[in-house]
Amino acid sequence: MIPVIALVGRPNVGKSTLFNRLTRSRDALVADFAGLTRDRKYGESRLGSRPFIVIDTGGITGDETGVDSSMAQQALAAIDEADAVLLIVDAREGLNAADETLAMRLRQQSKPFNLVVNKVDGLNEEVAAADFYALGTPSLMTIAASQGRGVSSMIEEVLAAFPEPQLESIDDHPPDSIRVAVVGRPNVGKSTLVNRLLGEERVVVYDQPGTTRDSVYIDFERGDQKYTLIDTAGVRRRKNVSEVVEKFSIVKTLKAIEDAHVVVLLMDAHEGIVDQDMHLLGHCMDKGRALVLGVNKWDGIDSDQREWIRKELDRRLRFAEYADTHYISALHGTGVGHLYKSINGAYASATRKLSTNALNRILEGAAFDHPPPMVNGRRIKMRYAHAGGQNPPIIVIHGNQTAEVPNSYKRYLEKVYRRELKLVGTPVRIEFRSGDNPYSEKRNKLTQRQVQRKRRMMAHVKKSKKSRKK
């Protein structure tokens, strides 16, 4: 069994910094900003040959209201599922009532915990830790998470309480898992949809834009298929982004799009499709990700507005007609189950192995039905095609003058390949390559016999010109 260790404490005591130090990553956002972490975040690490799982949580003070109340519930859920709890406190601020309240909560839950005094860099460790002995914990450790001081000895002491596990390989995510990123503008219901797909309150949901600040990766199984759901922060227009934390959140969202196999782009039915939705859609297409469109908050809209939204989507999303569109209500679960079929279909199309024989047959038929245009009086020739990659499917076409193929003809080939191969939910990329003349840079070297023949021919030509002049 792999031990699960939860990091809990007041806001801004260094839990995310310690999480990044233990997992040797930068997965958790870190800033001098109280309450930055809201959802519980899982990471995997090793100490030598011993694997363990770390859970980063939001800060708890005991008097949370509003969105902080939901954040505290996430932290308490992490405590319930953890095998060991590290109560992180701040050496520079000393002991306060929130630390005492949290220690009392852990004792009431009969959960064993270790007291970790963080931020002792530049301080006398014994003096800094003196106040915290009042909590009466059997184990007290001092560390400086930002510098890594004392972290290894601390985790060794924590893992010593667990039996040596069998050697297991733990990966960031299962290799056969379908990574699905849920993206969209703030407050369109991304976290609500993630919770509905999972069937549990896994991430914080609150009626306030910007509730999610970090990208949360969640592994789960549905039937025999493994998935990794990625809940992301909402992306606003650049001119509206002023806080540094939000800028980092957007960077995390864009990275999640690159990591994903399939992107679910969520839009708000009450607001219709707006320019920011189009920008996000364009970014997903530029990255070549398989795509599923979701129109959320479909409940409570009258029939006339629904008809207008459908026509507007058809008009503005002609360039993404390959993507399935679902009209859903994440809050009530209406239509959410159908997303899995589109996600699986898009993933299967994006990662499908393409036969060279089939690609050449389709290319021949496409060129016969609609020949390539003429360039400088010569017809562009496309000789053969083969597969060049997956997710998205890349088709490489070799021929002559392929650099002159217009974009309109390239889009025509993409549509033909998508139709003939029955690819759904994924873009198709066409790459053209021209055959180079291998002798273009080489000078023809004549043999001695050819040189003599050339001289005789030139002499004959000169003699003929003189005779004509006479």
Side-chain angles (χ1 to χ4, degrees), residues 360-413:
N360 283 310
R361 188 172 62 251
I362 295 170
L363 177 63
E364 183 180 351
F368 179 81
D369 294 338
H370 182 30
M374 303 277 287
V375 176
N376 298 326
R378 296 173 57 202
R379 179 77 64 184
I380 295 175
K381 293 182 181 179
M382 295 181 293
R383 301 190 184 281
Y384 66 95
H386 62 84
Q390 297 176 337
N391 196 28
I394 299 174
I395 300 171
V396 182
I397 298 177
H398 295 258
N400 292 343
Q401 303 186 96
T402 54
E404 307 297 331
V405 175
N407 289 331
S408 58
Y409 196 80
K410 184 178 179 181
R411 289 193 296 270
Y412 161 72
L413 290 176

Side-chain angles (χ1 to χ4, degrees), residues 8-25:
V8 299
R10 293 184 293 108
N12 213 31
V13 295
K15 298 183 295 298
S16 295
T17 303
L18 179 57
F19 176 89
N20 287 344
R21 178 68 62 177
L22 290 172
T23 58
R24 298 179 178 88
S25 70

Side-chain angles (χ1 to χ4, degrees), residues 354-363 385:
L354 304 178
S355 164
T356 301
N357 185 30
L359 295 179
N360 283 310
R361 188 172 62 251
I362 295 170
L363 177 63

